[in-house]
Amino acid sequence: IDLNASQSEAWAGLANANILMGMNLIQAPDEAFQKARSAAEQAARITPCMPEALTALAWVRLCHNRDWDGAEEYFRQALKAKPSYAFAHNGVALLEIARGHMQEAIVSLKEARRLNPLSAPLEALLSRTYCMARMFKEAVETGRRAVISNPDSCIAHCALALGLIQVQRLEEAIDHFEKARQLSGESAVYVGFWAYGSGLAGRRTDAELGLINFMSLAT
């Protein structure tokens, strides 16, 4: 952008980066999503109806504004313009999860994974969605694939851990929560999950320490 402020792709990329930072509490969500909206709107001004910009605006409405209908309309426009855009299918899946439609979310995630088969985060989100659909065997199997795909992915380790909890494999789950916490650089999200897992496993000292750390990171 510094070299060429008329590059709509760069503005859309900046929007996506801020969306992910807000979702993972790397930045304060209010700040991150406001930056994402501003960058996406700039991309849309330069290239009207740009699917990447429309998708970024949809993610902001979904994750920050909780505007399900507005998000759906932007995702619809983006996928009409670019049916092969995996990030849009990913967003539609989260929208379906927010609405409680787990089977529809699984369909959208499988399509996103088909379009981007090497994405560990997509595999991890599919694992989480299987958990929410109470398909625990599939959740664990998919979580393991995510970890194998990228052993350095904090999202993958956390997804596998959450599946393992559901099948009562708590000690193994704690190991993966610990890896997620370390790989994330002590992100509040993964410190919180580690504290949650520690509490379920009866590790009270670790759970209390994790809660204190989470509160200090999240405020």
Side-chain angles (χ1 to χ4, degrees), residues 131-213:
C131 262
M132 288 183 278
R134 304 191 66 78
M135 299 168 68
F136 302 133
K137 178 182 177 182
E138 292 85 349
V140 172
E141 290 173 350
T142 307
R144 290 200 190 282
R145 285 200 302 270
V147 170
I148 291 169
S149 172
N150 185 354
D152 294 327
S153 169
C154 50
I155 298 172
H157 283 284
C158 187
L160 175 55
L162 289 166
L164 290 167
I165 282 174
Q166 299 298 330
V167 294
Q168 299 301 308
R169 297 170 69 168
L170 295 179
E171 291 303 318
E172 189 178 355
I174 290 293
D175 289 342
H176 287 284
F177 278 135
E178 175 69 20
K179 288 177 182 175
R181 180 177 68 85
Q182 293 173 355
L183 289 166
S184 75
E186 304 297 320
S187 162
V189 170
Y190 298 105
V191 169
F193 276 122
W194 175 72
Y196 165 68
S198 296
L200 289 178
R203 299 183 179 185
R204 179 168 182 164
T205 300
D206 286 343
E208 290 177 343
L209 177 61
L211 178 59
I212 292 169
N213 289 343

Side-chain angles (χ1 to χ4, degrees), residues 93-94 97 101-111 113 122-146 159-160 162-164 166-167:
L94 285 182
I97 290 170
H101 303 158
M102 298 306 157
Q103 294 304 321
E104 291 86 344
I106 289 169
V107 170
S108 291
L109 280 170
K110 285 183 175 179
E111 178 62 11
R113 185 182 62 176
L122 281 176
E123 202 80 44
L125 181 56
L126 180 57
S127 172
R128 288 290 296 116
T129 308
Y130 277 134
C131 262
M132 288 183 278
R134 304 191 66 78
M135 299 168 68
F136 302 133
K137 178 182 177 182
E138 292 85 349
V140 172
E141 290 173 350
T142 307
R144 290 200 190 282
R145 285 200 302 270
L160 175 55
L162 289 166
L164 290 167
Q166 299 298 330
V167 294

Side-chain angles (χ1 to χ4, degrees), residues 80-99:
K80 182 178 180 180
K82 188 175 180 179
S84 63
Y85 191 30
F87 196 45
H89 287 285
N90 184 355
V92 170
L94 285 182
L95 175 61
E96 296 294 358
I97 290 170
R99 287 172 162 169

Side-chain angles (χ1 to χ4, degrees), residues 12-46:
L14 181 61
N16 289 344
N18 278 286
I19 287 166
L20 293 174
M21 286 196 288
M23 290 178 66
N24 289 287
L25 296 183
I26 296 169
Q27 276 188 10
D30 277 347
E31 178 184 356
F33 282 108
Q34 286 171 12
K35 289 179 179 178
R37 180 186 294 108
S38 177
E41 288 173 347
Q42 180 63 14
R45 280 192 288 270
I46 297 167

